[in-house]
Amino acid sequence: MTNSSPDFAQAITELVSIRDFFRWAASEFVAAKLFYGHGTDNPWDEAEQLVLHALHLNPPLADEWLDARLTRAEKERVVANIQRRIEERIPAAYITGQAWFAGMPFVVDERVLVPRSPIAELIEKQFAPWLSAEPQQILDLCTGSGCIGIACAYAFPDAEVQLSDISFDALAVAEENIHQHDLADRVFALQSDLFESLLGQRFDLIVSNPPYVDADDMASLPQEYHAEPELGLASGVDGLDFTRRLLAEAADHLTENGVLVVEVGNSWPALEEAYPGLSFTWVEFERGGHGVFVLNAADLRSARKHGLI
């Protein structure tokens, strides 16, 4: 926190327009030394998200709206959002109850990680050039809010999508999002520890954003990340506990030409060191992000045959 706390009552009394509250909130966020990384990367965008949510408006806002005057009730809602963000140090998405992924809104709360995976860019490109045909069966493993699998359902309108997670709490959020997007006819949520409840099932595409934060990174994460469920972040000393299991079992759940796409973030050097015989294809993103690899079924089966996984 700062040496001088924000005067929230003064803001309600003296500030007038949407522009005023954008500027004030951004300034207070800088002073409070907040950390960004849950959908925004700077104080202005964070301020915009929280101010507009309180006003029941969606960004981006046209310039002619910026000087609109707020009622006292609107000011109080805006300030309440800003105050929570500063004092509780929680991601803005937990305050608004909503996050955007692949251009779509998703319900989120403290039961799931805030969507932010660069895999969104791959989904928008329909995983080109790695898929040889449109997938009919897709698995979103460690689904959390369901955002990756649901976005895949939009990208491939003929596909059936399975959303899997070990957490019943996360799956309850995923179910909300399935119904919000009106996809209950072909997107399904299932509780499973890795492939435990998926025995005998094979998929043309398995996408996973599993826990991959190593012990050192977990210890040094900003406070905002500790508001998220640790189950969705931590994965042992080197961040690879879950990914090791995934690599060992994925081949049995891919079709002949199936593709595996996994995000391991900052743990990618540890993964390459642990599996020197595997030829990971690391995705390069236009909009930023790293640590996402692609492997096909043939590579995984060959690696297992030769004792590499």
Side-chain angles (χ1 to χ4, degrees), residues 225-239:
Y225 287 94
H226 288 286
E228 296 185 289
E230 185 174 342
L231 183 66
L233 293 170
S235 194
V237 173
D238 62 0

Side-chain angles (χ1 to χ4, degrees), residues 32 38 61 65 73 75 88 108 157 162 165 168 191 204 206 211 233 239 254 257:
H38 292 89
L61 196 67
W65 286 70
K75 293 179 184 181
E88 298 180 34
V108 296
Q162 188 74 255
D165 204 289
F168 284 105
Q191 194 278 338
D204 304 307
I206 298 176
L233 293 170
L254 286 168
N257 296 311

Side-chain angles (χ1 to χ4, degrees), residues 31-109:
K33 296 181 170 60
L34 298 186
F35 185 87
Y36 315 100
H38 292 89
T40 67
D41 61 6
N42 64 83
W44 185 269
D45 288 347
E46 192 92 345
E48 182 182 70
Q49 181 177 341
L50 289 166
V51 171
L52 294 184
H53 168 261
L55 301 176
H56 310 296
L57 298 170
N58 289 323
L61 196 67
D63 287 346
E64 56 263 30
W65 286 70
L66 291 177
D67 293 313
R69 299 167 61 91
L70 304 186
T71 67
R72 182 173 183 87
E74 288 175 327
K75 293 179 184 181
E76 289 172 350
R77 293 201 304 268
V78 167
V79 169
N81 277 0
I82 305 309
Q83 186 170 1
R84 284 196 67 195
R85 181 67 181 90
I86 292 171
E87 293 182 351
E88 298 180 34
R89 299 286 173 132
I90 60 176
Y94 289 164
I95 297 172
T96 65
Q98 183 182 78
W100 289 78
F101 180 81
M104 293 175 283
F106 290 90
V107 173
V108 296
D109 60 29

